[in-house]
Amino acid sequence: MNHRSMLKLSEVLRGRGFDVVRFNFLYREKGSRAPDRMPKLQACFSAVAERARREVPGKKLIIGGRSMGGRVASMLAAQGFACDGLLLLAYPLHPAGQPEKLRDAHLPDITVPVLCINGTRDTLCQKDLMTQSIDGLGWQMHWLEGKDHSFAVTAEIGELAERWASAARPSHPA
């Protein structure tokens, strides 16, 4: 949660009027580099989002994250977690060098608005495969030309998120 990229994302989004919650998954809090299994990651994410909902009631709840955090959020949304949208940065569509192992089976089950921002040189998300995976799903996809998986967060990302969030329809009563 204190990685410079996450701090910059928080700064950029707060500058655009968003309330932002950053957190570490439990494995990171314990000092491990190996991620927990998906159910444990989802339980942690869900607990944080539910607390945010209680502490800041009456606002849109947009969940998301960068890379694995975004994947966890997308899986929660696909399972019906009540939120108003998904903001995904550097979505890891497949493992590096393994484009045949797509992580897209759950994507059609997402019913909330989605803004996904990836770099065109991301080794974990080939543009053509992502385009095929989300075809017809209504996602707003934005490609950062020449950028890789670790693209820098800029004011452009805040502008994209602000425009998208103001147009995103609520998916459930607040």
Side-chain angles (χ1 to χ4, degrees), residues 53 84 170-174:
R53 186 191 319 274
D84 295 296
S171 62
H172 68 283

Side-chain angles (χ1 to χ4, degrees), residues 5-6 9 64-70 87 89-90 148-153:
S5 175
M6 297 311 311
L9 178 61
R66 185 173 190 130
S67 195
M68 184 189 73
L87 176 57
L89 277 68
D148 62 17
H149 193 69
S150 60
F151 62 82
V153 175

Side-chain angles (χ1 to χ4, degrees), residues 116-122 125 127-128 131 141-152 154 156-157 160:
C116 185
I117 303 170
N118 274 67
T120 58
R121 296 183 62 221
D122 190 335
C125 186
K127 185 177 179 180
D128 62 329
T131 300
M141 188 74 211
H142 185 82
W143 293 98
L144 301 172
E145 192 60 43
K147 303 298 181 186
D148 62 17
H149 193 69
S150 60
F151 62 82
T154 63
E156 175 188 14
I157 290 171
L160 287 166

Side-chain angles (χ1 to χ4, degrees), residues 2-120:
N2 290 320
H3 186 275
R4 72 177 189 279
S5 175
M6 297 311 311
L7 292 171
K8 183 64 177 179
L9 178 61
S10 179
E11 173 190 325
V12 164
L13 292 176
R14 283 188 173 128
R16 292 290 180 167
F18 289 84
D19 292 317
V20 177
V21 175
R22 295 185 332 271
F23 68 95
N24 285 328
F25 286 106
L26 297 174
Y27 79 93
R28 294 295 286 167
E29 284 296 310
K30 293 177 182 175
S32 176
R33 297 180 70 89
D36 291 319
R37 299 254 183 223
M38 189 55 71
K40 196 168 188 176
L41 295 171
Q42 289 174 309
C44 178
F45 198 116
S46 178
V48 170
E50 289 296 349
R51 182 170 178 183
R53 186 191 319 274
R54 285 191 309 273
E55 291 187 12
V56 188
K59 291 198 173 191
K60 282 184 180 180
L61 178 65
I62 297 171
I63 62 173
R66 185 173 190 130
S67 195
M68 184 189 73
R71 182 167 175 244
V72 173
S74 72
M75 293 181 85
L76 282 174
Q79 294 169 6
F81 183 84
C83 63
D84 295 296
L86 279 173
L87 176 57
L88 309 174
L89 277 68
Y91 184 82
L93 182 63
H94 53 76
Q98 299 178 52
E100 70 283 358
K101 293 186 178 179
L102 293 179
R103 300 169 174 152
D104 67 346
H106 68 288
L107 300 183
D109 296 328
I110 296 171
T111 60
V112 296
V114 179
L115 171 60
C116 185
I117 303 170
N118 274 67
T120 58

